[in-house]
mmCIF file with all atom_site columns, all heavy atoms in Angstrom:
data_model
loop_
_atom_site.group_PDB
_atom_site.id
_atom_site.type_symbol
_atom_site.label_atom_id
_atom_site.label_alt_id
_atom_site.label_comp_id
_atom_site.label_asym_id
_atom_site.label_entity_id
_atom_site.label_seq_id
_atom_site.pdbx_PDB_ins_code
_atom_site.Cartn_x
_atom_site.Cartn_y
_atom_site.Cartn_z
_atom_site.occupancy
_atom_site.B_iso_or_equiv
_atom_site.pdbx_formal_charge
_atom_site.auth_seq_id
_atom_site.auth_comp_id
_atom_site.auth_asym_id
_atom_site.auth_atom_id
_atom_site.pdbx_PDB_model_num
ATOM 1  N N   . ALA A 1 26 ? 8.423  -3.104 11.898 1.00 0.00 ? 52 ALA A N   1
ATOM 2  C CA  . ALA A 1 26 ? 8.769  -2.582 10.567 1.00 0.00 ? 52 ALA A CA  1
ATOM 3  C C   . ALA A 1 26 ? 9.494  -1.244 10.651 1.00 0.00 ? 52 ALA A C   1
ATOM 4  O O   . ALA A 1 26 ? 9.480  -0.584 11.679 1.00 0.00 ? 52 ALA A O   1
ATOM 5  C CB  . ALA A 1 26 ? 7.508  -2.422 9.732  1.00 0.00 ? 52 ALA A CB  1
ATOM 6  N N   . GLY A 1 27 ? 10.089 -0.884 9.556  1.00 0.00 ? 53 GLY A N   1
ATOM 7  C CA  . GLY A 1 27 ? 10.710 0.442  9.459  1.00 0.00 ? 53 GLY A CA  1
ATOM 8  C C   . GLY A 1 27 ? 11.967 0.561  10.269 1.00 0.00 ? 53 GLY A C   1
ATOM 9  O O   . GLY A 1 27 ? 12.293 1.637  10.768 1.00 0.00 ? 53 GLY A O   1
ATOM 10 N N   . LYS A 1 28 ? 12.659 -0.547 10.430 1.00 0.00 ? 54 LYS A N   1
ATOM 11 C CA  . LYS A 1 28 ? 13.860 -0.501 11.256 1.00 0.00 ? 54 LYS A CA  1
ATOM 12 C C   . LYS A 1 28 ? 15.155 -0.341 10.460 1.00 0.00 ? 54 LYS A C   1
ATOM 13 O O   . LYS A 1 28 ? 16.228 -0.470 11.008 1.00 0.00 ? 54 LYS A O   1
ATOM 14 C CB  . LYS A 1 28 ? 13.952 -1.758 12.142 1.00 0.00 ? 54 LYS A CB  1
ATOM 15 C CG  . LYS A 1 28 ? 12.751 -1.944 13.061 1.00 0.00 ? 54 LYS A CG  1
ATOM 16 C CD  . LYS A 1 28 ? 12.535 -0.768 14.002 1.00 0.00 ? 54 LYS A CD  1
ATOM 17 C CE  . LYS A 1 28 ? 11.334 -1.016 14.916 1.00 0.00 ? 54 LYS A CE  1
ATOM 18 N NZ  . LYS A 1 28 ? 10.704 0.190  15.406 1.00 0.00 ? 54 LYS A NZ  1
ATOM 19 N N   . VAL A 1 29 ? 15.020 -0.084 9.141  1.00 0.00 ? 55 VAL A N   1
ATOM 20 C CA  . VAL A 1 29 ? 16.232 0.196  8.358  1.00 0.00 ? 55 VAL A CA  1
ATOM 21 C C   . VAL A 1 29 ? 16.743 1.566  8.793  1.00 0.00 ? 55 VAL A C   1
ATOM 22 O O   . VAL A 1 29 ? 15.991 2.535  8.816  1.00 0.00 ? 55 VAL A O   1
ATOM 23 C CB  . VAL A 1 29 ? 15.934 0.194  6.831  1.00 0.00 ? 55 VAL A CB  1
ATOM 24 C CG1 . VAL A 1 29 ? 17.139 0.690  6.038  1.00 0.00 ? 55 VAL A CG1 1
ATOM 25 C CG2 . VAL A 1 29 ? 15.532 -1.197 6.368  1.00 0.00 ? 55 VAL A CG2 1
ATOM 26 N N   . THR A 1 30 ? 18.005 1.636  9.187  1.00 0.00 ? 56 THR A N   1
ATOM 27 C CA  . THR A 1 30 ? 18.566 2.910  9.632  1.00 0.00 ? 56 THR A CA  1
ATOM 28 C C   . THR A 1 30 ? 19.630 3.354  8.634  1.00 0.00 ? 56 THR A C   1
ATOM 29 O O   . THR A 1 30 ? 20.578 2.610  8.387  1.00 0.00 ? 56 THR A O   1
ATOM 30 C CB  . THR A 1 30 ? 19.201 2.750  11.030 1.00 0.00 ? 56 THR A CB  1
ATOM 31 O OG1 . THR A 1 30 ? 18.254 2.082  11.873 1.00 0.00 ? 56 THR A OG1 1
ATOM 32 C CG2 . THR A 1 30 ? 19.567 4.087  11.626 1.00 0.00 ? 56 THR A CG2 1
ATOM 33 N N   . PRO A 1 31 ? 19.482 4.549  8.074  1.00 0.00 ? 57 PRO A N   1
ATOM 34 C CA  . PRO A 1 31 ? 20.504 5.019  7.128  1.00 0.00 ? 57 PRO A CA  1
ATOM 35 C C   . PRO A 1 31 ? 21.738 5.487  7.904  1.00 0.00 ? 57 PRO A C   1
ATOM 36 O O   . PRO A 1 31 ? 21.652 5.733  9.116  1.00 0.00 ? 57 PRO A O   1
ATOM 37 C CB  . PRO A 1 31 ? 19.812 6.187  6.446  1.00 0.00 ? 57 PRO A CB  1
ATOM 38 C CG  . PRO A 1 31 ? 18.891 6.719  7.489  1.00 0.00 ? 57 PRO A CG  1
ATOM 39 C CD  . PRO A 1 31 ? 18.436 5.547  8.311  1.00 0.00 ? 57 PRO A CD  1
ATOM 40 N N   . PRO A 1 32 ? 22.872 5.674  7.234  1.00 0.00 ? 58 PRO A N   1
ATOM 41 C CA  . PRO A 1 32 ? 24.032 6.238  7.917  1.00 0.00 ? 58 PRO A CA  1
ATOM 42 C C   . PRO A 1 32 ? 23.681 7.611  8.501  1.00 0.00 ? 58 PRO A C   1
ATOM 43 O O   . PRO A 1 32 ? 22.802 8.307  7.963  1.00 0.00 ? 58 PRO A O   1
ATOM 44 C CB  . PRO A 1 32 ? 25.074 6.390  6.800  1.00 0.00 ? 58 PRO A CB  1
ATOM 45 C CG  . PRO A 1 32 ? 24.609 5.497  5.720  1.00 0.00 ? 58 PRO A CG  1
ATOM 46 C CD  . PRO A 1 32 ? 23.125 5.402  5.825  1.00 0.00 ? 58 PRO A CD  1
ATOM 47 N N   . GLN A 1 33 ? 24.375 8.002  9.563  1.00 0.00 ? 59 GLN A N   1
ATOM 48 C CA  . GLN A 1 33 ? 24.041 9.239  10.277 1.00 0.00 ? 59 GLN A CA  1
ATOM 49 C C   . GLN A 1 33 ? 24.061 10.453 9.351  1.00 0.00 ? 59 GLN A C   1
ATOM 50 O O   . GLN A 1 33 ? 23.173 11.307 9.420  1.00 0.00 ? 59 GLN A O   1
ATOM 51 C CB  . GLN A 1 33 ? 25.021 9.450  11.452 1.00 0.00 ? 59 GLN A CB  1
ATOM 52 C CG  . GLN A 1 33 ? 24.635 10.607 12.367 1.00 0.00 ? 59 GLN A CG  1
ATOM 53 C CD  . GLN A 1 33 ? 23.215 10.489 12.929 1.00 0.00 ? 59 GLN A CD  1
ATOM 54 O OE1 . GLN A 1 33 ? 22.823 9.433  13.429 1.00 0.00 ? 59 GLN A OE1 1
ATOM 55 N NE2 . GLN A 1 33 ? 22.444 11.572 12.823 1.00 0.00 ? 59 GLN A NE2 1
ATOM 56 N N   . PHE A 1 34 ? 25.053 10.531 8.434  1.00 0.00 ? 60 PHE A N   1
ATOM 57 C CA  . PHE A 1 34 ? 25.136 11.724 7.584  1.00 0.00 ? 60 PHE A CA  1
ATOM 58 C C   . PHE A 1 34 ? 23.974 11.796 6.598  1.00 0.00 ? 60 PHE A C   1
ATOM 59 O O   . PHE A 1 34 ? 23.529 12.874 6.218  1.00 0.00 ? 60 PHE A O   1
ATOM 60 C CB  . PHE A 1 34 ? 26.496 11.814 6.869  1.00 0.00 ? 60 PHE A CB  1
ATOM 61 C CG  . PHE A 1 34 ? 26.785 10.698 5.919  1.00 0.00 ? 60 PHE A CG  1
ATOM 62 C CD1 . PHE A 1 34 ? 26.450 10.812 4.583  1.00 0.00 ? 60 PHE A CD1 1
ATOM 63 C CD2 . PHE A 1 34 ? 27.403 9.538  6.350  1.00 0.00 ? 60 PHE A CD2 1
ATOM 64 C CE1 . PHE A 1 34 ? 26.718 9.790  3.681  1.00 0.00 ? 60 PHE A CE1 1
ATOM 65 C CE2 . PHE A 1 34 ? 27.680 8.494  5.462  1.00 0.00 ? 60 PHE A CE2 1
ATOM 66 C CZ  . PHE A 1 34 ? 27.325 8.620  4.140  1.00 0.00 ? 60 PHE A CZ  1
ATOM 67 N N   . VAL A 1 35 ? 23.430 10.630 6.217  1.00 0.00 ? 61 VAL A N   1
ATOM 68 C CA  . VAL A 1 35 ? 22.247 10.612 5.341  1.00 0.00 ? 61 VAL A CA  1
ATOM 69 C C   . VAL A 1 35 ? 21.028 11.077 6.137  1.00 0.00 ? 61 VAL A C   1
ATOM 70 O O   . VAL A 1 35 ? 20.243 11.907 5.677  1.00 0.00 ? 61 VAL A O   1
ATOM 71 C CB  . VAL A 1 35 ? 22.017 9.203  4.739  1.00 0.00 ? 61 VAL A CB  1
ATOM 72 C CG1 . VAL A 1 35 ? 20.702 9.155  3.958  1.00 0.00 ? 61 VAL A CG1 1
ATOM 73 C CG2 . VAL A 1 35 ? 23.179 8.817  3.831  1.00 0.00 ? 61 VAL A CG2 1
ATOM 74 N N   . ALA A 1 36 ? 20.912 10.568 7.367  1.00 0.00 ? 62 ALA A N   1
ATOM 75 C CA  . ALA A 1 36 ? 19.786 10.967 8.224  1.00 0.00 ? 62 ALA A CA  1
ATOM 76 C C   . ALA A 1 36 ? 19.845 12.465 8.523  1.00 0.00 ? 62 ALA A C   1
ATOM 77 O O   . ALA A 1 36 ? 18.810 13.154 8.532  1.00 0.00 ? 62 ALA A O   1
ATOM 78 C CB  . ALA A 1 36 ? 19.808 10.162 9.519  1.00 0.00 ? 62 ALA A CB  1
ATOM 79 N N   . THR A 1 37 ? 21.059 12.988 8.733  1.00 0.00 ? 63 THR A N   1
ATOM 80 C CA  . THR A 1 37 ? 21.214 14.417 9.025  1.00 0.00 ? 63 THR A CA  1
ATOM 81 C C   . THR A 1 37 ? 20.814 15.248 7.802  1.00 0.00 ? 63 THR A C   1
ATOM 82 O O   . THR A 1 37 ? 20.075 16.234 7.912  1.00 0.00 ? 63 THR A O   1
ATOM 83 C CB  . THR A 1 37 ? 22.678 14.718 9.418  1.00 0.00 ? 63 THR A CB  1
ATOM 84 O OG1 . THR A 1 37 ? 23.011 13.892 10.529 1.00 0.00 ? 63 THR A OG1 1
ATOM 85 C CG2 . THR A 1 37 ? 22.867 16.181 9.799  1.00 0.00 ? 63 THR A CG2 1
ATOM 86 N N   . ALA A 1 38 ? 21.307 14.814 6.632  1.00 0.00 ? 64 ALA A N   1
ATOM 87 C CA  . ALA A 1 38 ? 20.964 15.543 5.399  1.00 0.00 ? 64 ALA A CA  1
ATOM 88 C C   . ALA A 1 38 ? 19.452 15.548 5.192  1.00 0.00 ? 64 ALA A C   1
ATOM 89 O O   . ALA A 1 38 ? 18.857 16.583 4.852  1.00 0.00 ? 64 ALA A O   1
ATOM 90 C CB  . ALA A 1 38 ? 21.657 14.886 4.200  1.00 0.00 ? 64 ALA A CB  1
#
Side-chain angles (χ1 to χ4, degrees):
Chain A
K54 302 301 181 205
V55 171
T56 311
Q59 188 55 48
F60 63 92
V61 174
T63 303

